[in-house]
Amino acid sequence: MSLSEPKNYNKNKTGSNWTQRSQGRFKKNPKLLAIEECKRLYQKYYAYPSSSLLNQLNENSLSIFLDKLNYSDINVIKGLLLKFFHFQKIQISPTDPIKQEPISQRKQYRPTPLTKAEKDQIERLNKIKEKNIRQMINKLIICMSKHLPLTKSLISFSLNGIDLTSKYCQLISKALINNKSVQILSIANCKISLNSYELLIESLLNHRLLEYLDLSNNNMEDKYGKMINRLIGRHSQLRDQIVWSYGLRGEAPLSKDYKKGLISINLNGNNLSSDAAEYISSALYSDQYIRAVYLSNNQMNKSSCKKFIYMMRKNLYLLTIDLRGNPGYDESIHTRLVMKMS
C-alpha cells in the first residue's frame, strides 16, 4: 500500500467515496484553471487581472470589453493565450453590446448646465480614454495574430465595433491563413477599406472549416460584391473538386469532409445595391452548399430583388434568403420568395 492511500482503502471498491473525491480534486473547471494561471502571472508581470476580466472569463469563452480593461490585463490575456488553448470563443468589442447602463445612470438629471471648465474636463477625459483604447486594440490584435495560427480549439472569433486599419487586417489575414479551427468569423460594425477587405477575403478563400461569416453593418458598397462572389465560388469549387475526383473512379466520398465549408453569410445593414445583387445571385446560381444568405437593410431595388427569385429557379439548396428592409422589397417579392423556398 502506498503512503498516499488511507488505511481503510480497499482496491476492489472502485466506487468508494475516497476515489470519487480524489478524482474530482484533479478535474477542475477551466475557469478555475485560468484564474490560477492569472495568479501565477501576477508574480511574473506584477499585475493582477482586474475584476472585470475575471468576470469575462467563462469556461470556454473569453469576452474582451475594452472600456473595462486595464493595461495590466493585456499582459494577463497574453499569458492566458500562450498557456491555455481551451478557449472556443473569443470576442473583442469596445463595450458590452448586450448589457445596458443601470437605471440610476440612465436617469441622471442635472439641475444646472455644465460649465465650460467641466465640458473641457469631460472632453479631455474622453480623448484620453479613446487613446487608451486604441493602444489596447493594437496590443490585442498583435496578440491574437500570434495566437490564431497556434490554437486548435478556437471555433468562434468575433471583432465588433473596432476600426480595423490595413495593418490590423494584414495581421489578421496572415493568422487566418494558417488557422485550421475557426468555423465562425464575425467582423461587424467595423470601418474597413476596400484593400483591407481584399486581404481578409484572400485569407478565407482556402479556409475549408469556415461555415458562418458575418460582415454586417460595415458600410459595404457594390464594389464589394465581386469579392463575395469570389468567396462563394471558391468554396463551392473546393467541394466540387473532391466529389469529382471520387467520381472518376465511380466511388462516393468516404467521409463528409467535402461538405465542410461556407454555409451561411450575413451581409445585413450595408449599402449593397444592383451590382452587388448581380454578383451574389450569379455566384449562388450554381452553388449547392450555401444554406442561408442575409441581405436585409441594404439598397436593392425591385429588379435586384427579382434576380434572387430567378436564381432560386436553379438553386434548390438555399433554405433562407432575407431581403427585408430593401427599397424594392414588397409583398409580391415576399410571396414569391416564400413559394420558392417552400
Side-chain angles (χ1 to χ4, degrees):
M1 179 179 292
S2 62
L3 295 176
S4 61
E5 296 174 356
K7 294 181 180 180
N8 59 353
Y9 173 68
N10 188 0
K11 292 184 178 180
N12 295 328
K13 295 181 181 181
T14 57
S16 64
N17 293 331
W18 182 82
T19 55
Q20 291 177 3
R21 289 197 301 270
S22 62
Q23 291 174 0
R25 191 182 305 160
F26 296 102
K27 291 183 179 179
K28 290 187 177 181
N29 192 316
K31 181 174 181 177
L32 298 179
L33 291 174
I35 293 176
E36 290 181 0
E37 179 63 18
C38 288
K39 295 178 181 179
R40 285 192 287 270
L41 291 170
Y42 171 70
Q43 299 176 355
K44 183 177 181 180
Y45 295 108
Y46 301 101
Y48 190 74
S50 61
S51 60
S52 60
L53 180 60
L54 293 178
N55 293 332
Q56 293 163 22
L57 278 173
N58 294 325
E59 291 185 6
N60 295 313
S61 65
L62 175 62
S63 299
I64 302 174
F65 304 128
L66 300 175
D67 61 340
K68 298 181 180 179
L69 292 186
N70 300 326
Y71 278 109
S72 59
D73 293 335
I74 304 298
N75 292 326
V76 174
I77 292 172
K78 288 181 182 179
L80 287 176
L81 293 179
L82 292 174
K83 183 70 177 180
F84 292 102
F85 300 97
H86 70 272
F87 291 122
Q88 297 181 4
K89 179 181 178 181
I90 294 178
Q91 177 187 0
I92 303 176
S93 61
T95 57
D96 190 348
I98 299 176
K99 187 176 181 180
Q100 296 181 352
E101 294 180 355
I103 297 177
S104 59
Q105 294 183 8
R106 276 185 276 159
K107 294 185 177 180
Q108 283 184 347
Y109 297 99
R110 188 178 180 88
T112 57
L114 294 174
T115 62
K116 184 179 179 181
E118 290 174 336
K119 291 181 180 179
D120 293 341
Q121 178 69 12
I122 293 174
E123 185 177 357
R124 187 161 50 250
L125 292 175
N126 289 335
K127 287 182 179 179
I128 294 173
K129 185 177 179 180
E130 291 176 1
K131 182 180 179 181
N132 293 339
I133 288 178
R134 284 197 301 268
Q135 292 177 353
M136 285 191 287
I137 289 174
N138 184 40
K139 292 183 178 180
L140 281 174
I141 294 295
I142 295 174
C143 176
M144 292 299 165
S145 65
K146 296 179 180 178
H147 173 67
L148 286 175
L150 301 176
T151 180
K152 297 181 180 179
S153 62
L154 186 63
I155 297 176
S156 175
F157 182 63
S158 174
L159 294 172
N160 190 354
I162 296 174
D163 294 344
L164 295 177
T165 61
S166 58
K167 174 189 172 182
Y168 296 158
C169 290
Q170 189 172 8
L171 290 172
I172 295 171
S173 62
K174 286 183 179 179
L176 289 173
I177 288 175
N178 299 318
N179 177 272
K180 297 182 180 179
S181 64
V182 171
Q183 301 177 16
I184 303 172
L185 178 63
S186 176
I187 301 177
N189 301 297
C190 297
K191 295 180 181 180
I192 310 177
S193 63
L194 180 61
N195 295 331
S196 301
Y197 261 119
E198 291 177 351
L199 291 173
L200 289 174
I201 295 299
E202 285 289 337
S203 64
L204 302 177
L205 290 176
N206 297 312
H207 201 298
R208 291 179 176 270
L209 293 180
L210 181 67
E211 296 183 356
Y212 301 94
L213 179 62
D214 184 5
L215 297 174
S216 60
N217 301 309
N218 287 334
N219 294 323
M220 298 174 67
E221 299 177 353
D222 276 347
K223 53 189 176 183
Y224 295 87
K226 194 172 183 179
M227 294 186 299
I228 303 300
N229 175 289
R230 187 183 176 195
L231 181 64
I232 295 173
R234 180 58 178 168
H235 275 253
S236 179
Q237 182 184 9
L238 290 174
R239 290 179 276 198
D240 286 340
Q241 285 176 352
I242 298 175
V243 178
W244 177 78
S245 61
Y246 277 92
L248 291 176
R249 301 188 295 270
E251 301 175 355
L254 299 177
S255 64
K256 294 183 178 181
D257 290 341
Y258 75 96
K259 293 185 178 180
K260 293 181 179 179
L262 198 60
I263 61 175
S264 177
I265 304 176
N266 186 356
L267 299 170
N268 292 338
N270 289 295
N271 296 320
L272 304 175
S273 58
S274 57
D275 291 343
E278 180 68 30
Y279 282 119
I280 297 172
S281 60
S282 62
L284 295 172
Y285 187 79
S286 57
D287 183 82
Q288 302 179 12
Y289 307 98
I290 300 291
R291 296 293 180 264
V293 178
Y294 301 95
L295 292 164
S296 65
N297 299 316
N298 280 278
Q299 302 298 324
M300 298 181 183
N301 53 23
K302 193 165 186 177
S303 62
S304 300
C305 294
K306 287 181 179 180
K307 292 177 182 179
F308 293 97
I309 297 175
Y310 300 149
M311 173 270 299
M312 296 190 72
R313 294 177 180 175
K314 177 68 176 179
N315 189 329
L316 304 178
Y317 303 92
L318 190 64
L319 302 178
T320 301
I321 181 165
D322 189 1
L323 297 173
R324 293 173 297 177
N326 285 280
Y329 187 81
D330 54 13
E331 189 65 28
S332 62
I333 298 293
H334 173 76
T335 304
R336 296 172 68 179
L337 278 177
V338 171
M339 291 179 63
K340 292 293 182 182
M341 285 186 289
S342 62

